[in-house]
Amino acid sequence: MDDARVNHALNELKSAKERLASLEREQVALADRLAAARRAQRRIGFYLVFLVILFALVMAGAFTLLI
């Protein structure tokens, strides 16, 4: 009876250890995806700033042509 309980407890412990390892791998993967998303967001921000500056320059050029 005691051996069965010990074996059951050991199996549960092994299962919990495997789930923990799986969760740690998922956490690392999510951290990598989050870092990639932050880089992409920063890049998009730079593109938007560039487009605003370009638009301002085009508008300034068009205004000078009207004068």
Side-chain angles (χ1 to χ4, degrees), residues 31-46:
D32 291 343
R33 289 176 60 192
L34 182 60
R38 285 182 177 152
R39 286 191 300 272
Q41 185 178 19
R42 191 176 314 122
R43 192 169 41 246
I44 289 170
F46 290 145

Side-chain angles (χ1 to χ4, degrees), residues 50-64:
F50 172 74
L51 286 175
V52 168
I53 291 171
L54 183 65
F55 177 75
L57 290 173
V58 168
M59 288 282 116
F63 182 72
T64 57

Side-chain angles (χ1 to χ4, degrees), residues 5-58:
R5 290 170 63 185
V6 169
N7 286 336
H8 181 68
L10 286 175
N11 288 336
E12 286 184 11
L13 184 59
K14 287 178 185 177
S15 176
K17 192 175 180 181
E18 289 171 1
R19 285 193 307 259
L20 180 61
S22 174
L23 288 173
E24 287 174 347
R25 286 190 299 272
E26 288 179 16
Q27 182 182 11
V28 169
L30 285 173
D32 291 343
R33 289 176 60 192
L34 182 60
R38 285 182 177 152
R39 286 191 300 272
Q41 185 178 19
R42 191 176 314 122
R43 192 169 41 246
I44 289 170
F46 290 145
Y47 289 146
L48 287 175
V49 168
F50 172 74
L51 286 175
V52 168
I53 291 171
L54 183 65
F55 177 75
L57 290 173
V58 168

